[in-house]
Amino acid sequence: MNDRDGRKHLYTQKEKLLDTSENVEVSLDPITQYNHVLTCYNTDENRVGQIELQKMSEYGLYKSFWKLFNNPCALMFYLLLIMVPFVGGFLYLIFLIFTIQYFINLGVFNKNRNRCPEPFQNMIFCPELCAAAGAINKFYQIKTGELQGFSFNSEVMQTLKLKEYQGYISFMVYNNRLWDYYHNYSKIKGKHILSILLGTGLLAMQFYTVNMLMKNFGSDDSNADNSAAKAAAASLF
């Protein structure tokens, strides 16, 4: 593959990535959002050194359940259903798996953060260009002489000039949404912990209530049997 074909291939790949970035919405689950940032980071122009970061596992259950979890009213209704006998145990199990999947990926998040504390180091924060493109991030591959057409500060300009390769400079700009897609994952840890604790408490209340009802039912049956026995004994005399 010659240089021209290589640049064309790179451009095509970035266009596909740009299309993906335009379609990533805030309402999607945090795993999808985080992995989008990792897709951007792992490109040649954005990697810090030679550090490639690991993407999170994308669980179908987590993606589906996130819509409910992210709706306070729906989540509270779901948690209350855990108190329903028999059905509640199954609902709790789903919720427990959902929580476990979050913490598995939180381990990936922490591992990546330890390997690369600042993955946005080689990216350029420029919400104006993102707004013009209608995307949360955008890749550029320009000729060196075209760099003057961008209104970056002198420090960014110097950094970009160092990226020049065979007369071309490749870089990516991003906005606040992409920043949040990366950092927000760890911020929902408390909500997961609080929710599973509340669900566990409600499940315990269900078990306690059912146990008490069974005891009372058994006690009533026993009293009825004793009364019948006494009546039968009395009839003999």
Side-chain angles (χ1 to χ4, degrees):
M1 180 183 293
N2 57 39
D3 292 338
R4 183 177 179 181
D5 290 338
R7 288 195 296 271
K8 183 178 180 181
H9 177 71
L10 179 63
Y11 178 77
T12 302
Q13 292 297 99
K14 298 305 181 292
E15 283 299 307
K16 290 180 180 179
L17 191 54
L18 174 59
D19 290 342
T20 301
S21 70
E22 290 173 340
N23 293 328
V24 174
E25 299 294 339
V26 176
S27 60
L28 290 182
D29 68 279
I31 294 177
T32 301
Q33 294 174 351
Y34 180 86
N35 281 346
H36 174 72
V37 179
L38 268 286
T39 299
C40 297
Y41 167 84
N42 284 329
T43 57
D44 292 337
E45 50 267 66
N46 289 333
R47 273 200 309 270
V48 178
Q50 297 301 317
I51 302 174
E52 185 167 345
L53 299 181
Q54 174 188 349
K55 288 186 176 182
M56 295 179 176
S57 299
E58 297 192 9
Y59 301 105
L61 185 146
Y62 192 93
K63 288 185 175 184
S64 301
F65 201 84
W66 171 256
K67 296 178 181 178
L68 183 148
F69 185 76
N70 201 37
N71 185 319
C73 294
L75 177 60
M76 185 55 63
F77 180 72
Y78 184 92
L79 290 173
L80 290 175
L81 287 177
I82 291 178
M83 295 187 67
V84 178
F86 307 112
V87 176
F90 176 72
L91 295 179
Y92 178 81
L93 178 62
I94 294 176
F95 194 56
L96 180 62
I97 295 173
F98 169 81
T99 305
I100 291 173
Q101 289 175 344
Y102 168 80
F103 279 98
I104 289 174
N105 278 329
L106 184 63
V108 175
F109 175 90
N110 291 330
K111 178 182 177 182
N112 285 339
R113 186 170 56 181
N114 290 333
R115 295 191 65 211
C116 182
E118 186 43 71
F120 289 82
Q121 181 177 326
N122 291 331
M123 306 178 193
I124 301 173
F125 179 71
C126 189
E128 295 81 9
L129 287 177
C130 291
I136 61 174
N137 64 281
K138 179 167 180 167
F139 285 87
Y140 286 90
Q141 187 182 48
I142 62 174
K143 293 180 179 179
T144 305
E146 296 173 345
L147 185 59
Q148 300 304 319
F150 292 84
S151 56
F152 299 133
N153 61 46
S154 57
E155 183 179 352
V156 172
M157 286 291 196
Q158 288 299 118
T159 302
L160 289 177
K161 288 177 181 178
L162 295 175
K163 291 186 173 185
E164 188 271 335
Y165 178 72
Q166 294 185 348
Y168 285 84
I169 298 175
S170 299
F171 61 94
M172 190 199 83
V173 296
Y174 70 96
N175 64 10
N176 286 311
R177 283 177 60 192
L178 191 75
W179 174 272
D180 291 339
Y181 283 3
Y182 179 82
H183 290 91
N184 281 353
Y185 191 83
S186 62
K187 295 180 181 179
I188 55 176
K189 175 182 176 181
K191 183 178 180 181
H192 278 81
I193 294 176
L194 181 62
S195 298
I196 193 64
L197 288 177
L198 179 58
T200 303
L202 292 172
L203 184 66
M205 288 178 61
Q206 181 216 126
F207 287 158
Y208 176 79
T209 302
V210 171
N211 185 51
M212 292 301 294
L213 290 173
M214 294 296 289
K215 283 184 177 180
N216 290 334
F217 182 76
S219 177
D220 291 341
D221 285 347
S222 178
N223 290 335
D225 291 342
N226 290 337
S227 297
K230 289 179 180 179
S235 65
L236 297 176
F237 298 97

